Amino acid sequence: MHFHLEATDGRARAGLLETPHGTVKSPFFMVVGTAASVKGMTIEQLHNAGTQVVLANTYHLAVRPGSEEVRKRGGLSKFMGWNGPTLTDSGGFQVFALAKKRTVTPEGVRFNNHIDGKELFLTPERAVEIQQDIGADIMMCLDECPPAKAPRDDIATSMLLTHAWAKRCKEKWAANPGGQALFGIAQGALFEDLRKESAEYLASLDFPGYAIGGVAVGEDTSDIRRIVDFTAPLLPANKPRYLMGVGTPADIIAAVRAGVDMFDCVMPTRHARHYQAFTREGPINLKNARYAEDDGPLEDGCDCETCRSVSRAYVRHLALLGELMASVWVTIHNVRFYLRLMENLRAAILAGRLEEVAAELYHG
RNA sequence: GGGAAGAUGCCCGAGUGGCCAAAGGGAACAGACUGUAAAUCUGUCGGGCCCCGCCCUACGAUGGUUCGAAUCCAUCUCUUCCCA
């Protein structure tokens, strides 16, 4: 995998990331499709929205249908009919999200899965194996994602475990790299010294790309900004930098300015299912009574299929009835909103006008 | 014409003397959601106020029994069902 930097504007970067399934223009947002499906969107709709990369999840696919099945179906990208670049998260986030269903030991994470309770033992090596079966262009190291508010000692211990696992993942992957890339994940929560230590250790392992993990797991927005601002520049400049799980449009803009290249977040799709649409003026809840007679599009001037087709009043009508299409219409819009935001950020960086443009792109 | 059951807050529906402004649903209104156990979850939901408490109005209508009634009694109105 090769990352080519095209331009910088301040600390922000625009680049090209070459993957086995095509070249991706950065900075970019990866649409989350955990179980090999972006909830509420067809492949054609994803293409029309300008999707570049789809993200799926190791844990979920290992539970169902099983990574071996995905491999036999031709790998994630082909299996889901996407045929474009993909990335798989390692299951590290499930250490956080499914805290009640797992046990962490130095060897790995033992899950009792959320579907039928059956055991899934995810070691660093196993996480890589599974991801090799799934076949995403980018794999992530297994990490331990602790809650941001955990005591410093816990965060430090957790970070060292993540480092040990990163080394094991690296070795497992390096033995048979194939065309897939493997990214390391820096931890350290809100402690700058730990973040620095983590970034430096991971850099020493020499990964094709680096992620900032352990963000947006219970901390305030101001802390997210502070730690991303601090950490991003510590990651190798010639490699892609990925901020995992973030976030709001404002978070993303701030992170791009800090030098982050890649993002993913469930926000556009999940919020859409809950009838919240993003606009450059901020999010709006389409179930609110104030939109009952609003014949305008979800967002003024938006070029998405939803905004070209239906009104706020209509989507509200569907939402009130719980109609499936209410969520679909908003999902199409939100995904396009996020992807257009990234396109605009990239264009601004290439034009060297990020500072002037950033403020206009979003004021929610 | 005779008999039976029933009328509860926007709707459905518990409640048969005090702990009832009244369970539980639904609707409505609002909020949350950041590497997806989430088409989910939470709050409000008769009115008013000096709103962790008080006042008013309320369980078909009117009158009564009682210290006290959505709950008991009488009459009336309406609804449903059964027999003619």
Side-chain angles (χ1 to χ4, degrees), chain A residues 10 26 89 127 131 158 166 342 347:
Chain A
S26 78
D89 184 25
Q131 292 185 83
S158 169
M342 302 312 294

Side-chain angles (χ1 to χ4, degrees), chain A residues 99-117:
Chain A
K100 292 187 194 69
K101 298 189 176 300
R102 55 68 174 171
T103 316
V104 178
T105 65
E107 185 55 24
V109 198
R110 201 175 298 276
F111 288 98
N112 284 106
N113 83 59
H114 64 287
I115 304 287
D116 60 13

Side-chain angles (χ1 to χ4, degrees), chain A residues 193-350:
Chain A
D193 57 326
L194 296 182
R195 283 287 176 183
K196 183 167 190 291
E197 182 183 339
S198 194
E200 286 171 356
Y201 178 76
L202 286 163
S204 77
L205 292 179
D206 190 24
F207 286 102
Y210 299 89
I212 301 172
V215 172
V217 282
E219 72 277 29
D220 294 338
T221 302
S222 57
D223 282 325
I224 296 178
R225 301 281 168 82
R226 191 192 99 231
I227 219 64
V228 169
D229 221 53
F230 176 81
T231 308
L234 302 177
L235 299 172
N238 61 336
K239 300 287 173 62
R241 306 199 281 224
Y242 167 25
L243 177 56
M244 307 185 78
V246 172
T248 66
D251 287 341
I252 289 176
I253 292 171
V256 164
R257 294 169 71 176
V260 175
D261 311 299
M262 306 167 52
F263 301 88
D264 82 279
C265 189
V266 302
M267 206 172 266
T269 47
R270 178 185 289 167
H271 284 215
R273 269 174 276 123
H274 303 159
Y275 316 117
Q276 188 169 92
F278 286 93
T279 79
R280 79 181 74 74
E281 311 298 331
I284 63 172
N285 188 335
L286 288 163
K287 276 187 97 169
N288 288 179
R290 55 191 298 202
Y291 302 116
E293 299 188 35
D294 192 332
D295 296 319
L298 302 204
E299 181 187 26
D300 237 21
C302 177
D303 60 356
C304 83
E305 181 188 352
T306 300
C307 290
R308 285 186 281 108
S309 308
V310 295
S311 66
R312 288 175 171 182
Y314 176 67
V315 174
R316 172 181 142 84
H317 157 68
L318 297 181
L320 247 33
L321 290 174
E323 286 285 339
L324 195 56
M325 283 307 295
S327 294
V328 172
W329 283 121
V330 186
T331 300
I332 291 170
H333 168 76
N334 281 356
V335 167
R336 177 60 195 146
F337 177 89
Y338 266 69
L339 296 174
R340 185 175 56 232
L341 172 66
M342 302 312 294
E343 290 168 7
N344 288 334
L345 287 169
R346 176 179 154 85
I349 294 166
L350 289 172

